[in-house]
Structure formats: structure tokens, C-alpha cells
Amino acid sequence: MHHKREDLERLGITPAETKHNNHRRAVWADYAGTGLYMVTLCAEDRQPVFGRLEGDIRAQRGTDAFPHLVPSALGRAILSEELPKIHACYPQVELWQAALMPDHLHLLLFVRQPLPPNKRLGNVIGAFMGGCSRAWWRLASQPQPTADAAGTAASSSAVVPGASAPGNRRPLFEQGYHDRIIKRPGMLDTIKRYMADNPLRALMRRALPALLQRRLHLRIAGRDYAAFGCLFLLKRAEKELVFYHRRDRHTGLPTEQTPSFAAARDRQLAEARQGVVLVSAAISTPERIVINAAIDKGLPVINLQKEPIGPYWKPECRRFDACARGTLLILAPWGIADELPTDYQRFHRLNDLAAEICKTTDATIIGLTDLAASP
């Protein structure tokens, strides 16, 4: 049974912040019981040992030309041999979906029944990782032709030579793994779409580098940010802050239920259709209503968030697609979690920064180029 941190604290129990060798999202969760998880495993040094991507981002979904992975010999071994072993070794665990990419792997796992005594999700994943590593070493030690009958790369040893040398077996995966517990209604369908569209998003990043960018150090009006998406939105002189209180100050009603909000929402969306960039942290419900509507309609948006943007971070499907279309920029201010101890303070700071961004086009990509001076 899973317990939320808040529930435990109300009972007077302080969850221990135990150190783990995986990247857990909920250290107080019961990883021996039932649950639904998306697990992500990354190849050591992000080596593309599992295959290569092919396809056309403009192709119709379901056709052979739609973006997909062409697996290497190792990729084929993982899909046909190692994945079935999960349920064979742990009948309590069902593999609902797998998404193999050149340098990482997503697994959607349903633990239908509690695991055996002294076993947890980490034991299941560890056994799978070990089997994949042994397959990699085995393939790397065998003489392989440079291409198979389909003309594809036949061996992972061509990517990482010497992987199976005695006493020098390099790890296949980076240490640990990341898991996400799926509990909210609707989250499962979102995760499934996210996994299925991985090849499409990867090829979109290659095909649209000018629109879809991840920058880990961007300076805007003297403040440092990480960014993902269309940086050129910062150059637009016309920007408008989307900020609403949760409740209307005059009536006490939720703001989104008032006629004044409906009029303000329609006005802001109309301005966005004329090219005005809507800027918001999208924290309150009325703010999210406006920003989500703008994203769905393909209107220009700059969205601030408190979640950091790291080297491998990427947004969920809807925001990713908007970034690829060139209509969305996501910004994460550096150090906001260290500067401010509570979410309440961070949300207020994000709103202040959003207002600041509306007033400037002063933006510099540190160490690369001055965005304000680009054509």
C-alpha cells in the first residue's frame, strides 16, 4: 500500500530520507506492494547501443515511414529475450508497454500482487538490468558482420568496443534508474502516449533545431534561467502577463466562475492571435485555463516553472509539440528552490519573474550568442 508523505506526517511519522541507488520520486512509497510504474533506464554515457531512429516526422501515424527505432542486435535481444523474463521470474509483475530508444528504455510495469518477501521493485529492475548487461557482453564477444540482412548495424560491440573483455566489462546502464508512480486519473493514457511518441519527438528535435532548443544557461534581464523551446519568443516586444488570483476579490467566487474572467480570457486569447506572447507561471486554475487554451490553439506562450530543466529533461507531450511548432518557450529560473524554502514563496517569485519578462527583450545565451542580436 502506498502512503503519501502528508498522511504519514499527520500520524506523527516522519518519513526517512533514505539514500538509494535509484532516482526515486517517492522514498516513502511501498515498493514491495502493488503499483503501476513507469521506469526509465539510460545507457552508460548515453551511448546509442540499442539501435537507431528512422522515419519522417511528417509521415502519417501507423505507416512504415512514421518515426520508429530500428533495433541493434542488443536491442532485439532485449525486446525478444530479456523483457519476457520479467514476468517469468516475477509472475506478480506485468509488462504493459516498453519503449526502446537508441540510448534509453522506458518500461510500464504493473505490480499486480505484492512481491515475494524481501523483494522490491528495485530487485526486479536490477535483475532485468543484469540480464541485459550479460546479453550485451555476450554479443560484444562474438564475431559480428558489419551489417545484417536488412543493412542495419548488427552488434552493440561496434558502438562500444571491448565491452566484454575479461575483467573490463563496462556497465551497460548508468547507475540506478528513475521511476514514476502512476496514480492520478488520466495519467496512464498520458504516459502511454509519451512512450509511444518517443521516436517522433527525438526526430523532431533533429529536424527543427532552430525552434526546439534546450539551453541550460540563458540570462534574461540579469537573471539566469534554463530554457526549452522557441527562444525567439523572447524577442517579441509585445508580451502580456497572464496572472489571476484563485478567488475573485469582490465576490469570493473562484475566479474562473466569474463573468469578468471570461471576458479577460477571451481578450487575452484574441491578443495572442494577433501575435502577443502570453507569459505566465500558470499556477492558479484560471491561469492554467488561459495558458492551456493558448497552447491548444497554437498561440505564442512563455511558460515559467519551478521544476529544473536538466540535460535530459523534456516536457510532456502537449507542451513538447507546442515547442516543436515554435509557439512555446519553457523557462526555469536557476536556484529558485535554494533561494526560497516554500512553494508559496516560489510561486510568488515566478509570477514576479513572469512580469519582468513581459517588460524586456534582453536575453543572452551564455557562452554561445546574444539572442537579442540574432536575426
Side-chain angles (χ1 to χ4, degrees), residues 36-51:
L36 183 59
Y37 308 91
M38 185 182 78
V39 174
T40 301
L41 307 170
C42 296
E44 182 75 8
D45 297 328
R46 289 283 180 149
Q47 293 281 354
V49 293
F50 304 130

Side-chain angles (χ1 to χ4, degrees), residues 69-234:
L69 179 86
V70 178
S72 65
L74 174 61
R76 293 193 296 272
I78 289 174
L79 293 172
S80 63
E81 301 172 19
E82 300 305 322
L83 286 175
K85 291 179 183 178
I86 294 177
H87 184 67
C89 295
Y90 291 94
Q92 305 87 350
V93 181
E94 297 177 2
L95 175 65
W96 280 10
Q97 188 171 333
L100 190 63
M101 292 289 284
D103 61 358
H104 66 278
L105 170 64
H106 297 299
L107 303 176
L108 185 59
L109 297 174
F110 178 42
V111 183
R112 181 178 293 277
Q113 298 174 329
L115 295 171
N118 301 319
K119 297 295 183 181
R120 288 174 170 76
L121 181 67
N123 300 105
V124 178
I125 302 304
F128 170 73
M129 293 169 69
C132 293
S133 294
R134 287 188 292 273
W136 183 49
W137 298 331
R138 182 180 68 252
L139 288 166
S141 66
Q142 298 172 356
Q144 297 285 340
T146 57
D148 61 14
T152 59
S155 172
S156 59
S157 62
V159 179
V160 186
S164 65
N168 188 35
R169 287 180 169 175
R170 298 176 58 182
L172 171 59
F173 295 105
E174 68 178 20
Q175 186 177 11
Y177 62 90
H178 181 276
D179 70 79
R180 176 178 294 183
I181 302 173
I182 301 173
K183 295 189 292 185
R184 296 194 306 272
M187 188 175 178
L188 176 59
D189 289 339
T190 300
I191 292 294
K192 286 182 175 180
R193 288 194 299 270
Y194 170 85
M195 293 171 63
D197 283 346
N198 255 354
L200 172 62
R201 290 194 301 272
L203 290 184
M204 287 175 72
R205 285 195 295 272
R206 295 180 190 175
L208 304 169
L211 297 181
L212 195 60
Q213 301 187 38
R214 181 192 288 109
R215 299 296 183 191
L216 300 183
H217 197 173
L218 183 69
R219 185 162 294 158
I220 305 171
R223 174 83 194 203
D224 292 334
Y225 295 81
F228 189 101
C230 183
L231 299 174
F232 295 106
L233 293 175
L234 288 167

Side-chain angles (χ1 to χ4, degrees), residues 191-349:
I191 292 294
K192 286 182 175 180
R193 288 194 299 270
Y194 170 85
M195 293 171 63
D197 283 346
N198 255 354
L200 172 62
R201 290 194 301 272
L203 290 184
M204 287 175 72
R205 285 195 295 272
R206 295 180 190 175
L208 304 169
L211 297 181
L212 195 60
Q213 301 187 38
R214 181 192 288 109
R215 299 296 183 191
L216 300 183
H217 197 173
L218 183 69
R219 185 162 294 158
I220 305 171
R223 174 83 194 203
D224 292 334
Y225 295 81
F228 189 101
C230 183
L231 299 174
F232 295 106
L233 293 175
L234 288 167
K235 293 180 60 180
R236 299 263 189 101
E238 291 187 290
K239 305 186 189 77
E240 177 163 342
L241 179 66
V242 177
F243 171 75
Y244 296 93
H245 293 285
R246 297 182 185 276
R247 290 191 173 273
D248 182 78
R249 293 183 173 181
H250 301 292
T251 65
L253 293 171
T255 298
E256 65 274 15
Q257 297 180 10
T258 62
S260 59
F261 166 73
R265 174 201 61 204
D266 292 345
R267 178 187 60 79
Q268 290 187 315
L269 293 176
E271 290 183 351
R273 283 192 286 271
Q274 299 300 315
V276 175
V277 180
L278 302 182
V279 183
S280 180
I283 297 166
S284 69
T285 298
E287 290 166 8
R288 290 195 297 270
I289 289 173
V290 175
I291 292 301
N292 287 340
I295 291 175
D296 289 342
K297 295 175 183 297
L299 303 177
V301 170
I302 296 177
N303 185 195
L304 280 75
Q305 65 178 37
K306 63 183 180 67
E307 179 186 1
I309 295 175
Y312 304 117
W313 179 92
K314 50 184 174 289
E316 71 283 0
C317 296
R318 177 179 15 180
R319 290 200 300 167
F320 183 95
D321 291 344
C323 290
R325 291 195 303 266
T327 58
L328 176 63
L329 173 65
I330 302 169
L331 296 175
W334 278 22
I336 192 170
D338 299 327
E339 296 173 7
L340 302 170
T342 68
D343 278 344
Y344 181 80
Q345 292 172 313
R346 294 169 197 150
F347 290 153
H348 272 278
R349 177 61 60 84

